[in-house]
Amino acid sequence: MQGLVPRAPRAGLILAGFIAGVALQLQQGRLGPGWVYGAMALLGLLALGALWLPRQWPGTGCRKAGAACGLALAVLVAASAAALGFGLTGFRAVQFQATALNPALEGQDIAVTGMVLAMPQRSDEAVRFRLRVESARLKGQPITLPQQLLLGWYAGFGARDASAALTGGDDPSEHALALQRQPQNLRAGERWQMTVRLKAPHGNSNPHGFDYELWLWEQGIQATGYVRAGPRDALPTRLSSGWQHPVERARQAAREAIFARVDNRQLAGVIAALVVGDQNAIERADWDVFRATGVAHLMSISGLHITMFAWLAALLFSRLWRASARFTPRLCLAWPASSAGAVAGLLLAAAYALFSGWGVPAQRTIWMLATVVLLRLSGRQWPWPQVWLLAMAVVVLVDPWALLQAGFWLSFVVTLALTPLSLLLFNQVSVVGLLANAVAIPWVTLVVTPLAMLGLAWSPLWDGAAWAIGGLAAMLQWLAGWPFASVSVAAAPLWAAIAGVLGGGLIALRLPWQWRLLGAPLLLPVLLWHPAPVAEGEFELLAADIGQGNAVIVRTASHALLYDTGPRFSRESDAGHRVLVPLLRALGERLDTLVLSHRDTDHTGGAPALLAMQPQAALLASIEDGHELQALRKATRCEAGQRWVWDAVSFEVLHPAAADYGTETRSNAMSCVLRIATARHTALLVGDIEAPQELRLVSGESATRLKADFLLVPHHGSKTSSTAQFLDAVQPRVALAQAGYRNRFGHPVASVAARYAERGIPLLRSSQCGAALWRSLAPDRIDCQRQLGQRYWHHGVEP
């Protein structure tokens, strides 16, 4: 093989093959038996040993065969490495999946004793923390739980919706949370005994959306839940406060000291993010400004941040090492300044990453830097592609699921290559980013961060850091207000994204300009891509997976409407900001109309974020004149009889009547009922109407127009709705209930589901389906995102 596949290219083939094998395994929808993966890994390893070690293999015959034989051997090397990567990743996944939460334990009151693992995250609504389980009992009997739990301790019913943000939904029969005892000031290293309710990791499943279940899997968490602290529950008890986790305790003390010193919570939050890695301390409005101006990477301890810190530390230490030659010449003779600086930079970066919480992105960065430093210390000249591949392979070996995380790719691509990569990962890039970063990078690196870190030794320096952040924030706010400060594009297909990244990389390389300009055409597909439009005279419905609430995107050939905006989870989080804004951006859609069926927060929670993102959208709603959303955009009342046509698709409001606005009635009774129809097929979106409104529709003038192919289940499947008369009038081919996983109301309730089953109406639940796509061209079918994008770490919800 020597001469046909030399050792240096052979190493590149092995690294690339290993990464490809891992990437292929991550595409599996379900895991196979563990022994199969183990056998694949062993065979791959043995084959690589046989192919790598001999210098004159496989003999004279192959060498005489020439290029064809060499190509075959190269393929064999890459395939063996791929088998190793595939097998190792699959075997690890099988072992971890074996520790999953027993489904029979979901929703049970379980007495748990365990230790707080990391610095808890405190907000106005709750304290969120990780607990390492030491023992657990159910009704006095010992049980086995996953080793790590992600828990929330909520402050009461006012924050109930916030628990859905952590656990992906609500639990049945859970109404006593209004009397919750207030969360305690938990600290890392403390042992607690408490009663908890758990569920399997379950997140929203939307096209191009954040994969919460993958994030939990990568963090090593197999169950989420909340602390039971009501009047009928055992009081959570602190058992001891040990010396374990001293770094986490120091981080928490530093965060508390920052907020005690800096009165402005916004500025204190940025300092806390820079010093201890508490990104949750930065308010959402500030994150919006940082993203719009392209400086978000500077405001938290990310992989790029740690890499920059390591580079600066190495540069400074190298100069100090050279300066020491005046006094101790033997030091520089024994160890070059460049090597000493590289090791010092790595060690200081590792310490910084440890104090920032040693999160998964920080760990990836340290492994990457360690690989590069060790290669440099080897004394050999390594081609940069091999250095890049080896660093990537080491990170993938430690954390295979990093390949699916945006931070992994951002750690390996720099400068102009970040533009297409940002469009690929976030569907947004900052136009003013170059100017903003030209000011922000030196200001944050040389002024803000040193003052923030030195504040650990002398707290008044945090006042200086706050002043420096305030000045920068004012400039960034000004830049973010520029027209077209950031550009959003639709999510491009894989081929266009790869071309864009290659084009950006080519422009960024140190090549002659005539070669670098060749990268510009490769950027065009990702910049100009737009999904295929809906056919003229047809429409599509995309019911987003937003938990307990409604949110349905309606698209025609050249128009778009959003029916409801989902729930508000907490003061800083809602379905609009978390799901709908990114989804509309990825789809490349501009809304013509936003319809709010009624005022309940599980239908209007995301409206402020949507109205801010879509300034051109008209607002059609049944909300009262004094509603807070009226201050953001004046709403037109939805009234029965309103009609319009888009692209040969008709829209009609069937309820409420104009006279209903003058009566005092429940908000559900005022739900805007929207009928959407082509010449052949119809959809009915009904909000939270209940039995009286259903009877009124069935017996009124619109009775003949109720028959529909698609029905958005009234009131999420509540027992107050979906009457037999209404279902007989609508006769839908398919029905969808938008309801959260294990929601506290039990939606859709069993009696309602039975009525649909009795009539042969397929009833889909968003907790099982994820985002649901229905097309008027295929009225009998709903495409479920959870099935289309199924991976083995995703939660399989039983009907």
Side-chain angles (χ1 to χ4, degrees), residues 380-455:
R380 296 179 58 186
Q381 290 289 341
W382 293 85
W384 72 263
Q386 287 197 19
V387 175
W388 190 80
L389 275 175
L390 183 58
M392 183 180 288
V394 169
V395 173
V396 169
L397 179 64
V398 175
D399 178 16
W401 300 277
L403 276 174
L404 300 176
Q405 300 287 8
F408 172 85
W409 296 102
L410 290 174
S411 298
F412 286 94
V413 185
V414 293
T415 61
L416 291 180
L418 284 178
T419 296
L421 195 62
S422 296
L423 290 172
L424 168 63
L425 299 174
F426 309 115
N427 309 116
Q428 181 183 32
V429 68
S430 174
V431 176
V432 299
L434 186 62
L435 174 59
N437 277 277
V439 176
I441 288 176
W443 189 251
V444 172
T445 303
L446 302 177
V447 179
V448 175
T449 301
L451 287 174
M453 297 302 295
L454 291 172

Coordinates of all heavy atoms in Angstrom, one line a residue, residues 380-455:
R380 N 6.7 18.3 14.2 CA 6.5 18.0 12.8 C 5.6 19.1 12.1 O 4.8 19.7 12.8 CB 5.9 16.6 12.5 CG 6.7 15.5 13.0 CD 6.0 14.2 12.8 NE 5.7 14.0 11.4 CZ 5.0 13.0 10.9 NH1 4.5 12.1 11.8 NH2 4.7 12.9 9.6
Q381 N 5.8 19.3 10.8 CA 5.0 20.2 10.1 C 3.7 19.4 9.6 O 3.9 18.5 8.8 CB 5.7 20.8 8.9 CG 6.8 21.7 9.3 CD 6.3 23.0 9.8 OE1 5.1 23.4 9.5 NE2 7.1 23.8 10.6
W382 N 2.6 19.8 10.0 CA 1.3 19.1 9.7 C 0.6 20.0 8.7 O 0.3 21.2 8.9 CB 0.5 18.9 10.9 CG 1.1 17.9 11.9 CD1 2.0 18.1 12.8 CD2 0.8 16.5 11.9 NE1 2.3 17.0 13.5 CE2 1.6 15.9 13.0 CE3 0.0 15.6 11.2 CZ2 1.6 14.6 13.3 CZ3 0.0 14.3 11.5 CH2 0.8 13.8 12.5
P383 N 0.1 19.4 7.6 CA -0.7 20.2 6.7 C -2.0 20.7 7.4 O -2.6 19.9 8.1 CB -1.0 19.2 5.5 CG 0.0 18.1 5.7 CD 0.4 18.1 7.1
W384 N -2.4 21.9 7.1 CA -3.6 22.4 7.8 C -4.8 21.6 7.7 O -5.6 21.5 8.6 CB -3.8 23.9 7.5 CG -4.4 24.2 6.1 CD1 -3.7 24.5 5.0 CD2 -5.7 24.1 5.7 NE1 -4.5 24.7 4.0 CE2 -5.8 24.4 4.4 CE3 -6.9 23.8 6.4 CZ2 -7.0 24.5 3.6 CZ3 -8.1 23.8 5.7 CH2 -8.1 24.2 4.3
P385 N -5.1 21.0 6.5 CA -6.3 20.2 6.4 C -6.3 19.0 7.4 O -7.3 18.6 7.9 CB -6.3 19.7 4.9 CG -5.5 20.7 4.2 CD -4.4 21.1 5.2
Q386 N -5.1 18.4 7.6 CA -5.0 17.3 8.5 C -5.2 17.8 10.0 O -5.8 17.1 10.8 CB -3.7 16.5 8.3 CG -3.6 15.7 7.1 CD -2.5 14.7 7.1 OE1 -2.0 14.3 8.2 NE2 -2.1 14.2 5.9
V387 N -4.6 18.9 10.3 CA -4.8 19.5 11.6 C -6.3 19.7 11.9 O -6.9 19.4 12.9 CB -4.0 20.8 11.8 CG1 -4.3 21.4 13.1 CG2 -2.5 20.5 11.6
W388 N -7.0 20.3 10.9 CA -8.4 20.6 10.9 C -9.2 19.3 11.1 O -10.1 19.2 12.0 CB -8.8 21.3 9.7 CG -10.1 21.9 9.7 CD1 -10.5 23.1 10.2 CD2 -11.3 21.4 9.0 NE1 -11.9 23.4 10.0 CE2 -12.4 22.3 9.2 CE3 -11.5 20.3 8.3 CZ2 -13.6 22.1 8.7 CZ3 -12.8 20.1 7.8 CH2 -13.8 21.0 8.0
L389 N -8.9 18.3 10.3 CA -9.6 17.0 10.4 C -9.4 16.3 11.7 O -10.3 15.7 12.3 CB -9.2 16.1 9.2 CG -9.9 16.3 7.9 CD1 -9.3 15.4 6.8 CD2 -11.4 16.0 8.0
L390 N -8.1 16.3 12.2 CA -7.8 15.6 13.4 C -8.5 16.3 14.6 O -9.1 15.6 15.5 CB -6.3 15.5 13.6 CG -5.9 14.8 14.9 CD1 -6.4 13.3 14.9 CD2 -4.4 14.8 15.1
A391 N -8.5 17.6 14.6 CA -9.2 18.3 15.7 C -10.7 18.0 15.7 O -11.3 17.8 16.7 CB -9.0 19.8 15.6
M392 N -11.2 18.0 14.5 CA -12.7 17.6 14.3 C -12.9 16.2 14.8 O -13.9 15.9 15.5 CB -13.1 17.8 12.9 CG -14.6 17.6 12.6 SD -15.1 17.9 10.9 CE -14.9 19.6 10.8
A393 N -12.1 15.3 14.4 CA -12.3 13.9 14.7 C -12.2 13.6 16.2 O -12.9 12.8 16.8 CB -11.2 13.0 14.0
V394 N -11.3 14.3 16.9 CA -11.1 14.2 18.4 C -12.4 14.7 19.0 O -12.9 14.1 20.0 CB -9.9 15.0 18.9 CG1 -9.9 15.1 20.4 CG2 -8.6 14.3 18.4
V395 N -12.9 15.8 18.6 CA -14.2 16.4 19.2 C -15.3 15.4 18.9 O -16.1 15.1 19.8 CB -14.5 17.8 18.6 CG1 -15.9 18.2 19.0 CG2 -13.4 18.8 19.0
V396 N -15.4 14.8 17.7 CA -16.5 13.9 17.4 C -16.3 12.6 18.2 O -17.3 12.0 18.6 CB -16.5 13.6 15.9 CG1 -17.4 12.5 15.5 CG2 -16.9 14.9 15.1
L397 N -15.1 12.2 18.4 CA -14.9 11.0 19.3 C -15.4 11.2 20.7 O -16.0 10.3 21.3 CB -13.4 10.6 19.3 CG -13.0 9.4 20.1 CD1 -13.6 8.1 19.5 CD2 -11.5 9.3 20.2
V398 N -15.1 12.4 21.2 CA -15.6 12.7 22.6 C -17.1 12.9 22.6 O -17.8 12.4 23.5 CB -14.8 13.9 23.1 CG1 -15.4 14.3 24.5 CG2 -13.3 13.6 23.2
D399 N -17.6 13.6 21.6 CA -19.0 14.0 21.6 C -19.5 13.8 20.2 O -19.6 14.8 19.4 CB -19.2 15.4 22.1 CG -20.6 15.9 22.0 OD1 -21.5 15.1 21.9 OD2 -20.9 17.1 22.1
P400 N -20.0 12.6 19.8 CA -20.4 12.4 18.4 C -21.6 13.3 18.0 O -21.7 13.7 16.8 CB -20.8 10.9 18.4 CG -20.1 10.3 19.6 CD -20.0 11.4 20.6
W401 N -22.5 13.6 18.9 CA -23.7 14.3 18.6 C -23.4 15.8 18.4 O -24.3 16.6 18.0 CB -24.7 14.1 19.7 CG -25.0 12.6 19.8 CD1 -25.9 11.9 19.0 CD2 -24.4 11.7 20.7 NE1 -25.9 10.6 19.4 CE2 -25.0 10.4 20.4 CE3 -23.4 11.8 21.7 CZ2 -24.6 9.3 21.1 CZ3 -23.1 10.6 22.4 CH2 -23.6 9.4 22.1
A402 N -22.1 16.2 18.6 CA -21.8 17.6 18.3 C -21.9 17.9 16.8 O -22.1 19.1 16.4 CB -20.3 17.8 18.7
L403 N -21.8 16.9 16.0 CA -21.9 17.1 14.5 C -23.2 17.8 14.1 O -23.3 18.4 13.1 CB -21.8 15.8 13.8 CG -20.4 15.3 13.5 CD1 -20.5 13.9 12.9 CD2 -19.7 16.2 12.5
L404 N -24.3 17.7 15.0 CA -25.6 18.2 14.7 C -25.8 19.6 15.4 O -26.9 20.1 15.3 CB -26.7 17.2 15.1 CG -26.6 15.9 14.4 CD1 -27.7 15.0 14.9 CD2 -26.8 16.0 12.9
Q405 N -24.8 20.1 16.0 CA -24.9 21.4 16.7 C -24.3 22.5 16.0 O -23.2 22.3 15.4 CB -24.3 21.3 18.2 CG -24.9 20.2 19.0 CD -26.3 20.6 19.5 OE1 -26.9 21.6 19.1 NE2 -26.8 19.8 20.4
A406 N -25.0 23.6 16.0 CA -24.4 24.8 15.2 C -23.1 25.2 15.8 O -22.2 25.6 15.0 CB -25.4 26.0 15.3
G407 N -22.9 25.2 17.1 CA -21.6 25.6 17.7 C -20.4 24.8 17.2 O -19.3 25.4 17.2
F408 N -20.6 23.6 16.9 CA -19.5 22.7 16.4 C -19.0 23.3 15.1 O -17.8 23.5 14.9 CB -20.0 21.3 16.2 CG -19.0 20.4 15.5 CD1 -18.0 19.8 16.3 CD2 -19.1 20.2 14.2 CE1 -17.1 18.9 15.7 CE2 -18.2 19.4 13.5 CZ -17.2 18.7 14.3
W409 N -19.9 23.6 14.2 CA -19.4 24.1 12.9 C -18.9 25.5 13.0 O -18.0 25.9 12.3 CB -20.6 24.0 11.9 CG -21.0 22.6 11.7 CD1 -22.0 21.9 12.2 CD2 -20.2 21.6 10.9 NE1 -22.0 20.6 11.8 CE2 -20.9 20.4 11.0 CE3 -19.1 21.6 10.2 CZ2 -20.5 19.2 10.4 CZ3 -18.6 20.5 9.6 CH2 -19.4 19.3 9.7
L410 N -19.5 26.3 13.9 CA -19.0 27.7 14.0 C -17.5 27.7 14.6 O -16.8 28.6 14.4 CB -19.9 28.5 14.9 CG -21.2 28.8 14.3 CD1 -22.1 29.5 15.4 CD2 -21.1 29.7 13.1
S411 N -17.2 26.6 15.3 CA -15.8 26.5 15.9 C -14.8 26.2 14.8 O -13.6 26.4 15.0 CB -15.8 25.4 17.0 OG -16.7 25.7 18.0
F412 N -15.2 25.7 13.7 CA -14.3 25.2 12.7 C -14.3 26.1 11.4 O -13.6 25.9 10.5 CB -14.6 23.8 12.2 CG -14.1 22.8 13.3 CD1 -15.1 22.3 14.2 CD2 -12.8 22.3 13.4 CE1 -14.7 21.4 15.2 CE2 -12.4 21.4 14.3 CZ -13.4 21.0 15.3
V413 N -15.1 27.1 11.4 CA -15.2 28.0 10.2 C -15.1 29.4 10.7 O -15.7 29.8 11.7 CB -16.5 27.8 9.5 CG1 -16.5 28.7 8.2 CG2 -16.7 26.4 9.1
V414 N -14.3 30.2 10.0 CA -14.0 31.6 10.5 C -14.2 32.6 9.4 O -14.5 32.3 8.2 CB -12.5 31.7 11.0 CG1 -12.4 30.9 12.2 CG2 -11.6 31.3 9.9
T415 N -14.1 33.9 9.7 CA -14.2 35.1 8.8 C -15.4 35.0 7.9 O -16.5 34.7 8.3 CB -12.9 35.2 8.0 OG1 -12.6 34.1 7.2 CG2 -11.7 35.4 9.0
L416 N -15.1 35.3 6.6 CA -16.2 35.4 5.7 C -17.0 34.1 5.5 O -18.2 34.1 5.1 CB -15.7 35.9 4.3 CG -15.2 37.3 4.3 CD1 -14.8 37.7 2.9 CD2 -16.3 38.3 4.7
A417 N -16.4 33.0 5.8 CA -17.1 31.7 5.7 C -18.2 31.6 6.7 O -19.2 30.9 6.5 CB -16.1 30.5 6.0
L418 N -18.2 32.5 7.7 CA -19.3 32.5 8.7 C -20.6 33.0 8.1 O -21.7 32.8 8.6 CB -18.9 33.4 9.9 CG -18.0 32.7 10.9 CD1 -17.6 33.7 12.0 CD2 -18.5 31.5 11.5
T419 N -20.5 33.8 7.0 CA -21.7 34.4 6.4 C -22.7 33.3 5.9 O -23.8 33.2 6.3 CB -21.4 35.4 5.3 OG1 -20.7 36.5 6.0 CG2 -22.6 35.9 4.6
P420 N -22.2 32.4 5.0 CA -23.1 31.4 4.5 C -23.4 30.4 5.6 O -24.5 29.8 5.6 CB -22.4 30.7 3.4 CG -20.9 31.1 3.6 CD -20.9 32.4 4.2
L421 N -22.5 30.2 6.5 CA -22.8 29.2 7.6 C -23.8 29.8 8.5 O -24.7 29.1 9.0 CB -21.5 28.9 8.4 CG -21.6 27.7 9.3 CD1 -21.8 26.5 8.5 CD2 -20.3 27.6 10.1
S422 N -23.8 31.1 8.8 CA -24.9 31.7 9.6 C -26.2 31.6 9.0 O -27.2 31.4 9.6 CB -24.5 33.2 9.9 OG -23.3 33.3 10.7
L423 N -26.2 31.8 7.6 CA -27.5 31.7 6.9 C -28.0 30.2 7.0 O -29.2 30.0 7.1 CB -27.3 32.1 5.5 CG -27.1 33.6 5.2 CD1 -26.7 33.9 3.8 CD2 -28.3 34.4 5.6
L424 N -27.1 29.3 6.9 CA -27.5 27.9 6.9 C -28.0 27.5 8.3 O -29.0 26.8 8.4 CB -26.3 27.0 6.6 CG -26.4 25.5 6.9 CD1 -27.5 24.9 6.0 CD2 -25.1 24.8 6.6
L425 N -27.4 27.9 9.4 CA -27.7 27.5 10.7 C -28.8 28.3 11.3 O -29.7 27.8 12.1 CB -26.5 27.5 11.6 CG -25.3 26.6 11.2 CD1 -24.1 26.9 12.1 CD2 -25.7 25.2 11.3
F426 N -28.9 29.6 11.0 CA -29.8 30.5 11.7 C -30.8 31.2 10.7 O -31.7 32.0 11.2 CB -29.1 31.5 12.5 CG -28.1 30.9 13.5 CD1 -26.7 31.2 13.3 CD2 -28.5 30.1 14.5 CE1 -25.8 30.6 14.1 CE2 -27.5 29.5 15.3 CZ -26.2 29.8 15.2
N427 N -30.5 31.1 9.4 CA -31.4 31.8 8.4 C -31.3 33.3 8.5 O -32.3 33.9 8.2 CB -32.8 31.2 8.4 CG -32.9 29.7 8.3 OD1 -33.3 29.1 9.3 ND2 -32.4 29.2 7.3
Q428 N -30.3 33.8 9.1 CA -30.1 35.2 9.3 C -28.7 35.6 9.4 O -27.8 34.9 9.9 CB -30.8 35.6 10.7 CG -30.8 37.1 11.0 CD -31.4 37.4 12.3 OE1 -31.3 36.6 13.2 NE2 -32.0 38.6 12.4
V429 N -28.3 36.8 8.8 CA -27.0 37.3 8.9 C -27.0 38.8 9.1 O -27.9 39.4 8.5 CB -26.1 36.9 7.7 CG1 -26.6 37.6 6.4 CG2 -24.6 37.2 7.9
S430 N -26.1 39.3 9.9 CA -26.1 40.7 10.1 C -25.4 41.5 9.0 O -24.2 41.2 8.7 CB -25.4 41.0 11.5 OG -25.3 42.4 11.7
V431 N -26.1 42.5 8.4 CA -25.4 43.3 7.4 C -24.5 44.3 8.1 O -23.4 44.6 7.5 CB -26.5 44.0 6.6 CG1 -25.9 45.0 5.6 CG2 -27.4 43.0 5.9
V432 N -24.8 44.8 9.2 CA -24.0 45.8 9.9 C -22.9 45.1 10.8 O -22.2 45.7 11.6 CB -24.8 46.7 10.8 CG1 -25.8 47.5 9.9 CG2 -25.6 45.9 11.9
G433 N -22.9 43.7 10.7 CA -22.0 43.0 11.6 C -20.5 43.3 11.4 O -19.8 43.3 12.4
L434 N -20.1 43.6 10.2 CA -18.6 44.0 10.0 C -18.3 45.2 10.8 O -17.3 45.3 11.5 CB -18.4 44.2 8.5 CG -16.9 44.4 8.1 CD1 -16.1 43.2 8.5 CD2 -16.8 44.7 6.6
L435 N -19.1 46.3 10.7 CA -18.9 47.5 11.4 C -19.0 47.3 12.9 O -18.2 47.8 13.7 CB -19.9 48.6 11.0 CG -19.9 49.9 11.7 CD1 -18.5 50.6 11.6 CD2 -20.9 50.9 11.1
A436 N -20.1 46.6 13.3 CA -20.3 46.3 14.8 C -19.1 45.5 15.4 O -18.7 45.9 16.5 CB -21.6 45.6 15.0
N437 N -18.7 44.5 14.7 CA -17.6 43.7 15.2 C -16.3 44.5 15.2 O -15.4 44.2 16.1 CB -17.4 42.4 14.4 CG -18.4 41.3 14.9 OD1 -18.1 40.6 15.8 ND2 -19.5 41.2 14.2
A438 N -16.1 45.4 14.2 CA -14.8 46.2 14.2 C -14.7 47.0 15.5 O -13.6 47.2 15.9 CB -14.8 47.1 13.0
V439 N -15.8 47.4 16.0 CA -15.8 48.1 17.3 C -15.9 47.2 18.5 O -15.1 47.3 19.5 CB -16.9 49.2 17.4 CG1 -16.9 49.9 18.7 CG2 -16.8 50.2 16.2
A440 N -16.8 46.2 18.4 CA -17.1 45.4 19.6 C -16.0 44.4 19.9 O -15.7 44.2 21.1 CB -18.4 44.6 19.3
I441 N -15.3 43.8 18.9 CA -14.3 42.8 19.2 C -13.2 43.4 20.1 O -12.8 42.9 21.2 CB -13.8 42.2 17.9 CG1 -14.8 41.2 17.4 CG2 -12.5 41.4 18.2 CD1 -14.5 40.6 16.0
P442 N -12.5 44.5 19.7 CA -11.4 45.0 20.5 C -12.0 45.6 21.8 O -11.4 45.5 22.9 CB -10.8 46.1 19.7 CG -11.8 46.5 18.7 CD -12.6 45.2 18.4
W443 N -13.2 46.2 21.8 CA -13.8 46.8 23.0 C -14.1 45.7 24.1 O -13.7 45.8 25.2 CB -15.0 47.6 22.7 CG -15.5 48.4 23.8 CD1 -16.7 48.2 24.5 CD2 -15.0 49.6 24.4 NE1 -16.9 49.2 25.4 CE2 -15.8 50.0 25.4 CE3 -13.8 50.3 24.1 CZ2 -15.5 51.2 26.1 CZ3 -13.5 51.5 24.9 CH2 -14.4 51.9 25.9
V444 N -14.7 44.6 23.6 CA -15.1 43.5 24.5 C -13.8 42.8 25.0 O -13.7 42.4 26.1 CB -16.1 42.6 23.9 CG1 -16.3 41.4 24.8 CG2 -17.4 43.3 23.7
T445 N -12.9 42.5 24.0 CA -11.7 41.7 24.3 C -10.8 42.4 25.2 O -10.2 41.9 26.2 CB -11.1 41.3 23.0 OG1 -12.0 40.6 22.2 CG2 -9.9 40.4 23.3
L446 N -10.5 43.7 24.9 CA -9.4 44.4 25.6 C -9.9 45.3 26.8 O -9.1 45.7 27.6 CB -8.7 45.3 24.6 CG -8.1 44.6 23.4 CD1 -7.5 45.6 22.4 CD2 -7.1 43.6 23.9
V447 N -11.2 45.6 26.8 CA -11.7 46.5 27.9 C -12.8 45.8 28.8 O -12.6 45.6 30.0 CB -12.4 47.8 27.3 CG1 -12.9 48.6 28.4 CG2 -11.3 48.5 26.5
V448 N -13.9 45.3 28.2 CA -15.0 44.8 28.9 C -14.6 43.5 29.7 O -14.7 43.4 30.9 CB -16.2 44.5 28.0 CG1 -17.3 43.8 28.8 CG2 -16.7 45.8 27.5
T449 N -14.0 42.5 28.9 CA -13.7 41.2 29.5 C -12.6 41.3 30.6 O -12.8 40.7 31.7 CB -13.3 40.2 28.5 OG1 -14.4 40.0 27.5 CG2 -13.0 38.9 29.1
P450 N -11.5 42.1 30.4 CA -10.5 42.2 31.5 C -11.1 42.8 32.7 O -10.9 42.4 33.8 CB -9.5 43.1 30.9 CG -9.5 42.8 29.4 CD -11.0 42.6 29.1
L451 N -11.9 43.9 32.6 CA -12.6 44.5 33.7 C -13.5 43.6 34.4 O -13.6 43.5 35.7 CB -13.3 45.8 33.3 CG -12.5 47.0 32.9 CD1 -13.4 48.1 32.3 CD2 -11.7 47.5 34.1
A452 N -14.3 42.8 33.6 CA -15.2 41.8 34.2 C -14.5 40.8 35.0 O -14.9 40.4 36.1 CB -16.1 41.2 33.1
M453 N -13.4 40.2 34.4 CA -12.7 39.2 35.1 C -11.9 39.7 36.3 O -11.9 39.1 37.4 CB -11.7 38.5 34.1 CG -12.4 37.8 33.0 SD -13.5 36.5 33.5 CE -12.4 35.4 34.2
L454 N -11.3 40.9 36.2 CA -10.5 41.5 37.3 C -11.5 41.9 38.5 O -11.0 42.0 39.6 CB -9.7 42.7 36.9 CG -8.5 42.3 35.9 CD1 -7.9 43.6 35.4 CD2 -7.5 41.5 36.7
G455 N -12.8 42.1 38.1 CA -13.7 42.4 39.2 C -13.9 41.3 40.2 O -14.3 41.5 41.3

